[in-house]
């Protein structure tokens, strides 16, 4: 049986003549941090002072001993970041230049000093650029000349921290006769039968060549065996009536262990195990009267994808543990998200990421790692891209959560629309990867899964790649130049990116910017804002709705977070109400990789922005919304559940002092997976310029509130409310904050981190009518000080 020795201990990092103890997996930054030789790059402007780390070569060393009774010993690196020369006892084992690949070297019978010398990623990228010539890039970074996480070089939400190191596990694998080299389970489901075709390959030792081996595969009670003398074979397992895997909200996430055992006689040589799921996935791209659809269907169930974009959860990605993935993905699931897009400027994530998505029923859309640049197709890059894609497609294909491969982020758009095409003058730019190489590889290796060449993509060069009527669309004009209400001006077929920025929680800012007197434009705030004119866009976003609070940081911070939540709500409410024409929204972005002002719903310290709580409402099976459109005002009820939704809608017109001037009540039944839209009846409608009246709709505990004018033009009363703290018996670390409104209280927010840095609240923005109360569960703070709570509470104030 194969034997594994993990090589996690005994590593050193050479630094200025000293050998620092090194952590593997890890990276130079984490080792220097642990040794106290580097200031935390996430604090203040330290990022600038640590730039040198990415600009020089680094060497890791360890002693290895590969002497065993086995016929073969392989040294296996699951990931090297990035350009490395590897030597054992002074002789070269190999060179690498791709962070997205694993590497295996035959070190049979050898022992001695293992050295992994990393070149600076800049030096490697420059050397490749010399060979291929220059290509356009949205960012100044040379990210397209090296197969390394692109955002390592900086992004519009990320620091420039050019990492190097052994970022994934290393081990020695000792084996004899044969080892399992590659397994591709092709899972299909027809009528009531599941089938797994297990395509596998083995590597044989010299002595193992031509020997008769047995391979046996088992899943869900089905078993098949084959005897073989070559290096590859296929086993087919039929499972009658298998329990299916469903996305969350649609059914169970049943997983079945698939096991492949290769043996010779009674000797088990190697075993491979993964959890698979029985489910089908299709992507409907049929032309119709509106353009070209982009609708995912799982097990035949067409669905509106409730998505978020995922970026690497740490700018030093080796720090992201399985626990951290679980925490973050559970947060996504608890916000009623059902699809996570792994964005192309990051990485193919660790297996743990996809395991957790399998368990939580989160569908995964995986970008190949190409983003926002023209990528040369010359060597050495072409061979790297092919090798990396082959390896990762095979690695990830067992996961039922994986529903879509996507060629790149925004590169088809950039080629056509951002001036690349003329600038390239015929040079390669990656089109051959996205439109030829990658689809061929996916069709060959993983033919049960759909592939799309890019996001956005309209399906044809005859159309603009970002044409909202065809395929995927990235909606960025609104954040960049317009008011969020303008999300309502179009109905794209699938919104794969859109979003609005807000700063992180106050406790996150205080930790990241110690000693700074916080202001919207204080130096640390500006350093931790990487987007072009980010602060200007935040200010203009606030200013369209509120009076920009000059010199009042807390108020600015609250209002930017309100505008972020409202902006994303405007988009999702409108687009979801247009199902099935629009078949998904993927919010930019779920998470952050350091403390920063960004489009994220969860900040760099893991704290929740009000947007996070809003997502839970926006992505629930039942959504109630009021939407203005040029012809009047509509009320929409979205029912994404499998059951009819019968409810009573009460629509009221109220004045700012709380009196009611109109009401209409009616029964509705919304069919499963569908939307009902009703015009607001004229007798309750508010005039387009109404500044003293507003609409409130209630149904089944859901609430929608509609004010026709900008908040700054609305005649808000001075908000008045009582605050009470209710201890919660038996829960030592919890209290309930109960707020009772005496006036209209709009977008009330408790910022729990103002009570204690680690305190959390179970809700975000809440609007109360006079007389209504809300109970906010606060975890991690048990004070009794009502004044402290009042200081952590915000709401909309009259202009
Ligand atoms: C899109 C994304 C990212 C970027 C985001 C916000 O371009 O694909 O590249 O971070 O918008 O600008």
């Amino acid at each position: 049986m194969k034997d594994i020795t993990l090589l996690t201990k005994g590593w050193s990092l050479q630094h200025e003549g000293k050998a620092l103890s090194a952590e593997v997996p890890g990276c130079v930054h984490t080792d220097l941090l642990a040794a106290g030789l580097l200031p935390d790059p996430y604090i203040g402007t330290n990022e600038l002072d640590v730039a040198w780390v990415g600009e020089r070569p680094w060497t890791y060393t360890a002693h290895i001993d590969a002497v065993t009774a086995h016929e073969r010993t392989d040294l296996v690196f699951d990931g090297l970041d990035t350009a490395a020369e590897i030597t054992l006892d002074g002789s070269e084992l190999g060179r690498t230049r791709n962070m997205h690949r694993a590497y295996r070297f035959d070190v049979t019978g050898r022992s001695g000093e293992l050295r992994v010398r990393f070149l600076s990623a800049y030096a490697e990228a420059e050397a490749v650029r010399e060979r291929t010539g220059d290509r356009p890039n949205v960012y100044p970074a040379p990210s397209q000349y090296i197969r390394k996480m692109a955002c390592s070089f900086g992004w519009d939400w990320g620091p420039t921290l050019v990492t190097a190191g052994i970022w994934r596990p290393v081990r020695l694998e000792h084996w004899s006769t044969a080892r399992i080299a590659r397994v591709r389970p092709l899972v299909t489901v027809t009528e009531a039968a599941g089938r797994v075709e297990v395509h596998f390959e083995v590597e044989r030792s010299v002595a193992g060549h031509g020997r008769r081996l047995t391979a046996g595969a088992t899943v869900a009670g089905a078993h098949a065996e084959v005897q073989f003398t070559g290096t590859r074979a296929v086993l087919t397992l039929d499972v009658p009536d298998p329990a299916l895997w469903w996305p969350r909200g649609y059914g169970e996430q049943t997983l079945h262990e698939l096991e492949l055992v290769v043996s010779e006689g009674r000797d088990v040589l190697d075993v491979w195990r993964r959890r698979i799921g029985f489910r089908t996935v299709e992507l409907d791209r049929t032309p119709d009267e509106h353009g070209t659809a982009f609708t995912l269907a799982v097990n035949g169930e067409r669905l509106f994808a409730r998505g978020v974009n995922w970026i690497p959860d740490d700018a030093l990605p080796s720090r992201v543990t399985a626990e951290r993935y679980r925490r973050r993905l559970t947060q996504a699931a608890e916000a009623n998200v059902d699809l996570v897009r792994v964005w192309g400027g990051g990485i193919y994530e660790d297996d743990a990421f996809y395991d957790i998505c399998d368990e939580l029923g989160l569908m995964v859309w995986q970008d190949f790692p190409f983003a926002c640049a023209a990528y040369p197709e010359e060597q050495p890059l072409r061979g790297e891209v092919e090798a990396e894609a082959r390896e990762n497609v095979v690695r990830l294909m067992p996961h039922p959560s994986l529903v879509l491969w996507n060629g790149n982020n925004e590169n088809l758009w950039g080629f056509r629309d951002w001036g690349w095409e003329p600038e390239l003058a015929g040079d390669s730019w990656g089109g051959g990867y996205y439109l030829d190489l990658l689809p061929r590889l996916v069709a060959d290796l993983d033919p049960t899964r759909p592939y799309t060449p890019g996001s956005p993509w309209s399906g044809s060069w005859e159309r603009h790649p970002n044409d909202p009527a065809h395929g995927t669309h990235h909606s960025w004009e609104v954040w960049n130049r317009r008011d969020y209400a303008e999300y309502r001006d179009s109905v794209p077929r699938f919104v794969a990116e859109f979003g609005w920025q807000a700063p992180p929680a106050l406790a996150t800012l205080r930790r990241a910017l110690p000693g700074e007197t916080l202001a919207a434009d204080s130096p640390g705030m500006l350093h931790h804002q990487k987007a072009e004119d980010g602060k200007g866009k935040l200010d203009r976003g606030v200013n369209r709705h509120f009076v920009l609070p000059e010199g009042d940081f807390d108020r600015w911070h609250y209002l930017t977070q309100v505008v972020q939540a409202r902006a994303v709500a405007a988009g999702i409410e409108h687009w979801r109400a247009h199902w099935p024409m629009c078949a998904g929204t993927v919010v930019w972005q779920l998470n952050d990789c350091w403390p920063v002002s960004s489009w994220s719903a969860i900040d760099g310290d893991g704290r929740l922005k009000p947007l996070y709580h809003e997502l839970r409402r926006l992505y629930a099976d039942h959504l109630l919304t009021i939407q203005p459109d040029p012809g009047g005002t509509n009320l929409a009820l979205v029912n994404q559940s499998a059951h009819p939704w019968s409810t009573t809608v009460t629509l009221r017109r109220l004045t700012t002092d709380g009196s009611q001037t109109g009401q209409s009540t009616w029964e509705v039944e919304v069919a499963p997976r569908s939307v009902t839209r009703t015009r607001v009846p004229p007798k309750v409608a508010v005039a387009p310029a109404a500044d003293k009246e507003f609409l409130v709709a209630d149904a089944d505990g859901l609430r929608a509130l509609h004010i026709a004018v900008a908040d700054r033009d609305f005649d808000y009363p001075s908000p008045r409310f009582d605050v009470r703290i209710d201890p919660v018996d038996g829960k030592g670390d919890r209290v309930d904050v109960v707020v009772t409104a005496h006036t209209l209280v709009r977008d009330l927010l408790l910022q729990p981190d103002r009570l204690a840095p680690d305190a959390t609240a179970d809700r975000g923005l809440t609007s109360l009518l006079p007389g209504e109360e809300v109970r906010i569960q606060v975890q991690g703070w048990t004070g009794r000080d009502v004044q402290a709570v009042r200081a952590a509470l915000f709401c909309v104030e009259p202009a």
Side-chain angles (χ1 to χ4, degrees):
M1 177 71 174
K2 186 169 86 180
D3 225 15
I4 288 178
T5 316
L6 292 180
L7 296 179
T8 43
K9 299 269 176 295
W11 287 92
S12 305
L13 171 66
Q14 309 305 316
H15 179 53
E16 289 174 350
K18 285 198 287 288
L20 308 177
S21 123
E23 188 130 351
V24 170
C27 72
V28 172
H29 289 87
T30 52
D31 289 330
L32 294 176
L33 274 165
L37 296 172
L38 206 67
D40 184 340
Y42 292 2
I43 305 297
T45 54
N46 290 347
E47 176 200 352
L48 305 174
D49 303 329
V50 307
W52 59 273
V53 177
E55 289 160 6
R56 57 162 79 170
W58 292 95
T59 301
Y60 282 85
T61 56
H63 183 85
I64 65 162
D65 183 355
V67 182
T68 72
H70 275 289
E71 294 167 5
R72 270 279 298 272
T73 298
D74 296 340
L75 168 64
V76 182
F77 293 97
D78 282 341
L80 292 168
D81 172 15
T82 288
E85 298 163 2
I86 302 143
T87 57
L88 177 56
D89 228 5
S91 72
E92 183 173 310
L93 290 177
R95 290 171 188 240
T96 73
R97 44 160 49 105
N98 192 337
M99 178 185 187
H100 309 300
R101 291 177 65 187
Y103 293 93
R104 177 180 289 271
F105 304 102
D106 181 352
V107 294
T108 307
R110 298 175 60 178
S111 53
E113 191 193 50
L114 178 62
R115 289 178 84 83
V116 186
R117 180 173 187 273
F118 292 98
L119 308 181
S120 142
Y122 287 109
E124 164 67 16
E126 290 310 329
V128 172
R129 190 214 302 257
E130 292 276 294
R131 288 165 67 176
T132 64
D134 219 12
R135 299 289 192 285
N137 189 331
V138 169
Y139 293 90
S143 53
Q144 72 270 57
Y145 309 103
I146 180 166
R147 296 307 297 151
K148 172 176 172 62
M149 174 172 106
C151 65
S152 212
F153 295 98
W155 215 263
D156 60 1
W157 35 258
T160 300
L161 288 174
V162 179
T163 49
I166 304 171
W167 77 294
R168 279 184 168 159
V170 202
R171 63 191 167 273
L172 292 172
E173 289 188 12
H174 312 282
W175 55 277
S176 299
T177 311
R179 69 171 185 93
I180 299 172
R182 188 161 98 145
V183 186
R184 293 188 302 117
L186 302 190
V187 182
T188 48
V189 189
T190 53
E191 290 305 290
R195 168 168 285 193
V196 186
E197 276 179 32
V198 186
H199 296 248
F200 69 90
E201 288 169 35
V202 298
E203 182 184 2
R204 289 170 181 264
S205 67
V206 174
H209 272 284
R211 299 231 297 252
R212 179 172 298 274
L213 305 179
T214 306
T218 312
V219 74
H223 181 76
E225 258 181 39
V226 65
Q227 300 214 325
F228 64 107
T229 53
T231 55
R232 57 177 72 199
V234 183
L235 286 163
T236 301
L237 298 163
D238 285 309
V239 179
D241 201 16
L244 300 180
W245 183 94
W246 288 95
R248 58 183 300 101
Y250 288 80
E252 300 287 304
Q253 286 76 53
T254 311
L255 297 168
H256 305 268
E257 185 161 271
L258 168 64
E259 185 181 73
L260 174 72
V261 179
V262 170
S263 41
E264 182 177 41
R266 287 163 166 256
D267 276 358
V268 172
L269 302 174
D270 202 355
V271 182
W272 177 98
R273 280 191 199 96
R274 294 287 185 284
R275 289 179 311 173
I276 59 135
F278 289 98
R279 57 113 187 85
T280 62
V281 56
E282 287 133 330
L283 178 60
D284 179 3
R285 283 173 276 199
T286 315
D288 57 23
E289 75 272 27
H290 307 295
T292 313
F294 192 90
T295 306
L296 284 162
V298 176
N299 298 329
E301 191 75 64
R302 296 162 68 80
L303 48 87
F304 180 96
R306 295 171 275 195
V308 288
N309 280 280
W310 171 276
I311 63 166
D313 205 54
D314 198 311
L316 307 178
S318 59
R319 290 205 286 211
V320 183
T321 57
E323 294 70 47
R324 175 125 152 224
Y325 278 131
R326 187 171 293 279
R327 197 174 338 125
R328 199 68 70 237
L329 291 165
T330 301
Q331 286 173 320
E334 286 174 351
N336 292 320
V337 164
D338 63 18
L339 178 137
V340 178
R341 171 183 174 222
V342 180
W343 166 77
I347 53 179
Y348 307 92
E349 297 287 344
D350 191 78
D351 290 295
F353 175 95
Y354 306 90
D355 283 337
I356 296 164
C357 290
D358 291 344
E359 289 169 20
L360 295 176
L362 291 169
M363 295 178 280
V364 178
W365 151 338
Q366 176 70 47
D367 283 12
F368 285 95
F370 302 91
C372 301
Y375 285 75
E377 293 169 46
E378 286 86 345
Q379 296 294 13
L381 294 166
R382 187 178 186 80
E384 289 298 338
V385 167
E386 172 156 0
E388 147 204 332
R390 282 184 180 281
E391 179 183 322
N392 285 287
V393 168
V394 172
R395 176 170 72 89
L396 302 184
M397 64 186 280
H399 294 279
S401 56
L402 181 60
V403 295
L404 181 65
W405 291 106
N406 171 43
N408 72 83
N409 176 71
E410 296 188 343
N411 295 346
L412 303 166
W413 186 7
F415 174 72
R416 182 46 50 89
D417 201 26
W418 301 345
W420 300 357
E421 192 169 1
E423 190 182 329
L424 284 158
D427 280 347
S428 73
W429 57 279
Y433 298 149
Y434 322 130
L435 295 159
D436 176 34
L437 176 70
L438 296 173
R440 268 195 291 115
L441 293 181
V442 171
D444 179 34
L445 297 168
D446 185 21
T448 72
R449 224 172 235 113
Y451 172 87
T452 185
S455 187
W457 178 232
S458 60
S460 159
W461 287 121
E462 316 258 292
R463 299 185 280 265
H464 189 286
N466 200 30
D467 186 334
H470 299 275
T472 45
H473 177 69
H474 290 193
S475 179
W476 284 115
E477 270 303 290
V478 172
W479 154 254
N480 283 321
R481 275 168 278 279
R482 300 175 193 282
D483 177 32
Y484 61 70
E486 295 182 47
Y487 284 133
R488 301 191 187 106
D489 294 349
S490 78
V491 182
R493 306 311 301 270
F494 191 105
V495 186
E497 281 185 15
F498 81 108
W500 205 275
Q501 274 206 1
L506 187 79
T508 302
L509 289 171
R510 291 224 186 288
R511 190 187 74 83
L513 307 174
E516 179 157 316
T517 304
L518 294 173
D521 58 356
S522 56
M525 284 298 293
L526 293 180
H527 185 75
H528 290 245
Q529 163 61 274
K530 300 294 191 182
E532 196 191 331
D533 191 24
K535 190 208 160 253
K537 290 172 189 173
L538 283 175
D539 283 352
R540 290 192 289 280
V542 169
N543 203 33
R544 289 183 195 106
H545 297 267
F546 301 93
V547 175
L548 193 65
E550 300 288 350
D552 183 345
F553 178 75
D554 288 344
R555 190 107 208 120
W556 178 85
H557 177 259
Y558 161 74
L559 289 176
T560 49
Q561 291 197 334
V562 168
V563 171
Q564 178 190 37
R566 286 206 201 165
V568 171
I572 295 179
E573 290 183 1
H574 169 69
W575 292 320
R576 251 190 108 187
H578 284 85
W579 160 259
M581 185 173 161
C582 177
T585 48
V586 189
V587 175
W588 188 267
Q589 71 214 61
L590 175 70
N591 57 335
D592 270 329
C593 64
W594 78 313
V596 66
S597 290
S598 85
W599 299 263
S600 73
I602 304 173
D603 78 18
D605 282 2
R607 294 192 178 92
L608 308 175
K609 296 184 190 175
L611 169 62
Y612 173 88
H613 298 281
E614 193 66 355
L615 282 179
R616 205 166 46 211
R617 176 182 75 81
L618 293 165
Y619 278 160
D621 271 355
H622 291 170
L623 174 69
L624 172 72
T625 109
I626 301 177
Q627 300 171 357
D629 82 16
T633 305
N634 293 313
L635 193 117
L637 287 95
V638 179
N639 176 19
Q640 203 164 333
S641 79
H643 312 287
W645 179 20
S646 305
T647 185
T648 306
V649 178
T650 306
L651 186 63
R652 287 178 284 166
R653 186 177 54 219
L654 301 174
T655 57
T656 46
D657 64 10
S659 48
Q660 184 172 315
T661 57
Q663 176 172 342
S664 178
T665 302
W666 67 97
E667 306 287 314
V668 274
E669 175 157 313
V670 193
R673 323 261 196 240
S674 71
V675 181
T676 302
R677 291 152 61 83
T678 329
R679 250 296 171 253
V680 166
K683 63 170 182 156
V684 262
V686 292
D691 64 352
K692 290 186 179 56
E693 285 187 318
F694 61 102
L695 286 182
V696 176
D698 290 283
D700 263 356
L702 302 179
R703 156 78 52 96
L705 190 147
H706 171 67
I707 292 178
V709 295
D711 295 70
R712 55 187 299 157
D713 300 324
F714 190 67
D715 191 18
Y716 279 106
S718 252
R720 280 186 299 111
F721 52 83
D722 288 336
V723 177
R724 180 175 93 226
I725 300 172
D726 279 2
V728 181
D729 285 343
K731 308 257 185 208
D733 62 344
R734 209 190 104 187
V735 294
D736 285 354
V737 167
V738 181
V739 178
T740 310
H742 299 303
T743 59
L744 169 65
V745 177
R746 182 92 202 273
D747 284 336
L748 178 78
L749 176 69
L750 176 68
Q751 295 192 345
D753 57 295
R754 287 178 186 264
L755 297 173
D758 293 326
T760 58
D762 71 334
R763 53 166 67 226
L765 302 170
T766 309
S767 294
L768 300 173
L769 303 179
E772 289 183 338
E773 73 169 37
V774 63
R775 180 173 290 271
I776 307 169
Q777 299 183 4
V778 177
Q779 199 94 39
W781 183 77
T782 50
R784 292 290 178 270
D785 180 355
V786 171
Q787 280 321 309
V789 173
R790 281 200 174 262
L793 279 169
F794 295 82
C795 68
V796 173
E797 306 268 356

